[in-house]
Amino acid sequence: MNTITKNNSVVAIYNSHAQAEAAVKELQQSGFDMKKLSIVGRDYHSDEHVVGYYNVGDRMKYWGKMGAFWGGIWGWLFGSAFFLIPGIGPLVIAGPLVGWIVGALEGAVVVGGLSALGAGLYSLGIPKDSILQYETALKTDKFLLIAHGTTEETSCAKEIINRTGPETMEHHQ
């Protein structure tokens, strides 16, 4: 069956934005559909750095400590948002996961004990125990890279992501 289901995803955890960015570039260069890729990371607020967001057409602009990283990621991925998630903190999210989080919130799909991010991941078919692992990784300043699509697409993404040396990677089907 070659239809896209929300239950096919690969989630990788990276220790740094540089590693996550390298993985996004590797996927892009390998021809993976960037509209099927999301990235999540904590935002960093500092009195020493101006932090700001604004929209220009379809692009979100960002100034701050991680401005160059997020600016580049937003140029590749479809959709971007900033969420303040209680218990996790400020998150910057790029890719289709933004829509699933908003959809989960608007549809009151928030499942007991899950954050808004967790509800978005849960709506992708990711099990609750894995969601807690991903939220813990974000709390410790790591980055999530999520590829979704058909079984073939996610299997291909898994092979590519595996070459980029993630801390952990899970294929959810």
Side-chain angles (χ1 to χ4, degrees):
M1 187 162 156
N2 200 24
T3 60
I4 296 175
T5 66
K6 292 198 295 186
N7 295 337
N8 281 324
S9 60
V10 175
V11 182
I13 298 173
Y14 290 92
N15 288 315
S16 73
H17 67 86
Q19 291 172 321
E21 184 175 16
V24 170
K25 286 179 181 177
E26 184 73 26
L27 283 159
Q28 181 186 38
Q29 291 170 355
S30 297
F32 188 81
D33 184 354
M34 293 292 103
K35 291 182 179 178
K36 296 180 179 184
L37 194 65
S38 296
I39 191 162
V40 183
R42 291 214 16 200
D43 186 29
Y44 297 88
H45 291 279
S46 169
D47 293 338
E48 299 170 9
H49 296 89
V50 174
V51 176
Y53 304 87
Y54 71 94
N55 278 320
V56 177
D58 289 338
R59 302 276 187 223
M60 188 175 203
K61 298 290 183 182
Y62 173 92
W63 291 285
K65 185 175 180 181
M66 303 278 289
F69 167 69
W70 286 113
I73 292 295
W74 284 326
W76 295 325
L77 304 182
F78 180 76
S80 53
F82 171 79
F83 292 99
L84 182 58
I85 309 281
I88 300 175
L91 292 178
V92 180
I93 303 169
L97 179 59
V98 171
W100 284 308
I101 292 171
V102 171
L105 293 173
E106 288 178 349
V109 177
V110 179
V111 179
L114 293 180
S115 68
L117 171 66
L121 292 171
Y122 187 78
S123 72
L124 276 170
I126 295 175
K128 283 177 101 172
D129 59 337
S130 294
I131 291 168
L132 297 175
Q133 172 192 351
Y134 302 146
E135 288 182 339
T136 299
L138 289 167
K139 287 178 190 177
T140 60
D141 299 331
K142 296 179 182 177
F143 292 81
L144 300 183
L145 180 64
I146 305 158
H148 69 91
T150 64
T151 302
E152 283 180 11
E153 289 169 326
T154 55
S155 294
C156 180
K158 180 181 176 183
E159 289 178 24
I160 296 164
I161 290 169
N162 195 43
R163 294 192 306 249
T164 66
E167 179 181 293
T168 66
M169 178 179 54
E170 289 187 59
H171 193 176
H172 302 282
Q173 296 179 315

